[in-house]
Amino acid sequence: MKEFEPYKNDMLLGRVIKVHRDMVECLYLEKIIKTAVSGRFKYTTTGSADYPSVGDYVIFTLSDDIGVIHKVCSRYSELSRQDVGGSSNRQVMASNVDQVFICISLNNDFNLKKINQFIAMVYSSNAVPIVLLTKRDLCSDVESKIELVRQIDEMGIYPISVLNKEDVNILRELVKDKTSVFLGASGVGKSSIVNSIIGEPVLKTS
């Protein structure tokens, strides 16, 4: 990464995997490092959207297994929404994302208006939208639902069931070598999808 070149002799480059209130977890050489932004970073940064978000590449120093973030690298994509409370600040949900899977359940969550809203959000982020029509094993008219979504936009549309090995293999190929986000309402199967791709229950499901 060119942005890191001037710092590579004295600092490290990591990627944010989780953000807490006062602490940021970064992945560096397959190790999770606990970090916090520097005092100078706090003083010179005005908007919350400029703080580290999941997916960011950050330049940091490390001492006694504790990291200090000095710079957030430029983002090539940013999935964001307006901050809660009607402020003008935007809330960054994820950054440097290649593709966003819009998860819509074929069982009871199928809603074209919601799909439209998600698609607009993804296009504004500079990522590629892909629609996953989940729980296809519980739907008797899958093809008609696919056609309705296809009328909105010409993008990838995949009806899937996590109970079907072929569907899971398709998902594994889709996410291979890409940074992906799964977006959708509670209960559409996002955690089950991630667990099926990884092959073990890393996320709690209901």
Side-chain angles (χ1 to χ4, degrees):
M1 179 178 285
K2 289 183 178 180
E3 208 167 341
F4 178 58
E5 286 295 314
Y7 306 91
K8 66 180 182 180
N9 293 330
D10 305 304
M11 299 188 184
L12 306 172
L13 181 68
R15 194 166 196 196
V16 177
I17 59 171
K18 188 176 290 187
V19 177
H20 305 275
R21 183 184 294 267
D22 298 310
M23 189 266 289
V24 176
E25 294 184 26
C26 293
L27 191 64
Y28 172 71
L29 298 180
E30 299 185 357
K31 183 180 180 181
I32 297 175
I33 306 293
K34 292 182 178 180
T35 68
V37 297
S38 69
R40 178 180 174 81
F41 187 98
K42 290 181 179 179
Y43 181 75
T44 57
T45 303
T46 56
S48 60
D50 297 324
Y51 274 72
S53 69
V54 172
D56 273 331
Y57 292 95
V58 294
I59 296 170
F60 69 101
T61 52
L62 185 63
S63 177
D64 297 328
D65 293 328
I66 300 297
V68 177
I69 295 173
H70 300 275
K71 179 178 174 60
V72 175
C73 296
S74 301
R75 299 161 177 161
Y76 64 80
S77 68
E78 179 186 286
L79 191 65
S80 62
R81 61 188 175 192
Q82 187 173 336
D83 210 347
V84 177
S87 71
S88 58
N89 286 335
R90 68 189 188 282
Q91 179 188 3
V92 180
M93 296 179 286
S95 55
N96 301 313
V97 173
D98 299 313
Q99 56 191 11
V100 177
F101 291 95
I102 300 168
C103 303
I104 301 292
S105 172
L106 285 168
N107 183 23
N108 54 18
D109 186 61
F110 189 80
N111 186 311
L112 291 176
K113 183 178 179 181
K114 187 178 295 183
I115 296 173
N116 249 321
Q117 291 171 342
F118 281 141
I119 289 173
M121 179 189 295
V122 177
Y123 274 132
S124 66
S125 76
N126 204 33
V128 175
I130 299 172
V131 173
L132 293 185
L133 299 176
T134 67
K135 305 182 182 182
R136 71 176 177 88
D137 52 305
L138 301 177
C139 180
S140 59
D141 58 341
V142 175
E143 290 302 321
S144 64
K145 298 289 179 61
I146 292 174
E147 188 56 37
L148 288 172
V149 178
R150 187 171 286 120
Q151 292 174 17
I152 298 175
D153 192 87
E154 286 295 330
M155 63 197 149
I157 305 170
Y158 297 88
I160 64 154
S161 168
V162 294
L163 304 178
N164 186 293
K165 290 184 178 180
E166 290 183 6
D167 290 354
V168 174
N169 287 334
I170 288 172
L171 289 172
R172 286 174 177 158
E173 283 300 312
L174 288 171
V175 302
K176 190 176 181 180
D177 299 325
K178 287 183 168 60
T179 298
S180 306
V181 164
F182 292 86
L183 192 65
S186 176
V188 299
K190 300 186 298 297
S191 297
S192 296
I193 290 170
V194 173
N195 289 342
S196 66
I197 291 172
I198 294 174
E200 57 182 287
V202 295
L203 297 178
K204 187 181 293 185
T205 66
S206 57

